Amino acid sequence: MPNLKMKIFPTKELKFKLIDDQTKTLDRLNRRTEKSDNLISQHTDKSFCGIIKGNEFKIISSTIGKGAFCVMTGAINSDGGNVNIKIHKVFRILLGIFLCFPVIGMIILILTKAQEFSPILILSMIGQILIIRYVFIGLAFKFLSRESLNRFCEVLDLEWIKDQAQQC
């Protein structure tokens, strides 16, 4: 049975295989990552900011302005690995507030009696929420995650497994 659970915020999980061995790949990632416990973008000549512990990582792109939108977590094993990409917690909070605006607007409209209640208003509110989620948040995640994953792929010199619609 398919999973019908709606995700409020999109995520991606991708698997990859290494072209070099694990130690070279981890060394390359360590060299290109500015060590930072706080996942915030900062001016640096390195590709990523974040934490690397052993073969596990939690990084963001160091691009100022849009690099912190997506957080990449994962592990690099002997022959491959995985990366899970999701929206940064701070952006999830801000976008969650943004998603509440149509509901807040509906409540204000009902309480002030600015307009007589109509079922069309509920459909309009649901439509606005869906547009915010799938058009604004969905497209922003799609483009910004692709940019972060392309940078990740270029730095680590890896190959995505299967047809995951991701090219380096």
Side-chain angles (χ1 to χ4, degrees), residues 90-150:
V90 173
F91 287 102
R92 284 192 309 232
I93 292 168
L94 291 172
L95 293 170
I97 292 169
F98 190 56
L99 276 170
C100 291
F101 283 166
V103 176
I104 293 168
M106 174 69 75
I107 291 170
I108 291 172
L109 193 66
I110 291 171
L111 292 177
T112 61
K113 298 184 180 170
Q115 185 175 353
E116 189 173 313
F117 180 76
S118 169
I120 297 294
L121 292 175
I122 292 181
L123 289 175
S124 172
M125 177 188 68
I126 292 170
Q128 289 171 2
I129 291 170
L130 291 174
I131 287 171
I132 291 169
R133 164 53 181 93
Y134 289 102
V135 175
F136 296 125
I137 297 173
L139 287 176
F141 179 77
K142 180 180 179 180
F143 292 119
L144 294 175
S145 66
R146 182 182 303 151
E147 188 175 304
S148 293
L149 287 170
N150 284 341

Side-chain angles (χ1 to χ4, degrees), residues 2 6 8 15 23 36-38 47-48 61-62 66 68 75 83 91 101-102 104 114 121 136 141 158 160 165 167:
M6 182 182 141
I8 294 176
K15 297 188 182 312
T23 55
S36 171
D37 290 335
N38 302 325
S47 300
F48 303 107
S61 175
S62 64
K66 55 187 176 179
V83 62
F91 287 102
F101 283 166
I104 293 168
L121 292 175
F136 296 125
F141 179 77
L158 52 86
W160 300 111
Q167 305 276 330

Side-chain angles (χ1 to χ4, degrees), residues 32-55:
R32 299 297 302 157
T33 302
E34 182 75 30
K35 305 302 182 263
S36 171
D37 290 335
N38 302 325
L39 294 176
I40 56 173
S41 294
Q42 50 190 313
H43 288 287
T44 180
D45 60 339
K46 300 189 177 189
S47 300
F48 303 107
C49 298
I51 305 164
I52 302 170
K53 291 183 181 174
N55 69 333

